[in-house]
Amino acid sequence: MADRDESPVERSDRNWTELLQELRVAQTGVQILFAFLLTIPFSQRFAEITAVQRGTYIVTLVLTALATLCLIAPVSHHRILFRRGRKEQLVKSSDTLAQIGLVFLWLSVVGAVFLVFEVVVAVSWAIAVAGALGVSFVLVWYVFPTLKR
């Protein structure tokens, strides 16, 4: 692929815009999951879950909070660094945060599905479905794009 005819500043601006578009998709997903998880303790059946299920819930909730932290952090960073000539550094740090946030999101989704299957069906189903889902995330989010490079 030929290089674009753009200056380093233009490249940083383009990369920042593309990253923001990607973050919007991820942020929506993590916010919906987080809202769902935050409502669970207020349901009547929550008092009936086992200690293991409660632990799974807490771990999944924390993972989702960490995903939220990482995926929304670039906005705060941008506000603090706005008009300081630090766009290239902002893009690099935000890219790292986005990648970490996506790992937390992946683990959060798997944890939430595991919890639901464990409560609704059985732990054996929860393990099978969460395991298959976890592998699917790795394949679709990481292996396939890496193979296309």
Side-chain angles (χ1 to χ4, degrees):
M1 184 173 142
D3 285 335
R4 296 174 185 256
D5 186 23
E6 57 188 2
S7 70
V9 171
E10 291 170 330
R11 179 172 286 119
S12 290
D13 286 342
R14 179 179 52 80
N15 288 338
W16 177 248
T17 300
E18 289 178 9
L19 180 61
L20 283 181
Q21 292 297 344
E22 294 164 2
L23 287 172
R24 284 185 181 103
V25 173
Q27 286 171 350
T28 301
V30 77
Q31 288 169 339
I32 291 168
L33 178 59
F34 202 27
F36 164 73
L37 289 170
L38 289 173
T39 63
I40 288 177
F42 301 103
S43 69
Q44 291 178 349
R45 282 193 67 192
F46 190 76
E48 302 169 12
I49 67 173
T50 67
V52 172
Q53 292 167 341
R54 192 174 308 274
T56 300
Y57 170 77
I58 293 298
V59 168
T60 302
L61 182 67
V62 170
L63 288 169
T64 306
L66 291 169
T68 302
L69 169 78
C70 292
L71 294 172
I72 296 176
V75 175
S76 175
H77 291 203
H78 182 261
R79 283 294 92 211
I80 293 168
L81 298 174
F82 185 66
R83 293 188 178 165
R84 305 261 172 148
R86 310 278 299 272
K87 184 73 66 87
E88 186 176 347
Q89 292 168 315
L90 178 64
V91 170
K92 286 179 184 177
S93 66
S94 296
D95 175 64
T96 300
L97 285 164
Q99 290 182 42
I100 294 168
L102 286 173
V103 170
F104 285 135
L105 179 57
W106 157 50
L107 295 172
S108 299
V109 171
V110 171
V113 169
F114 178 86
L115 178 62
V116 170
F117 269 80
E118 186 180 17
V119 170
V120 175
V121 185
V123 71
S124 58
W125 275 96
I127 292 169
V129 172
L133 189 58
V135 169
S136 297
F137 269 92
V138 171
L139 288 173
V140 174
W141 281 14
Y142 301 103
V143 173
F144 293 163
T146 300
L147 292 174
K148 291 180 181 182
R149 272 204 271 191

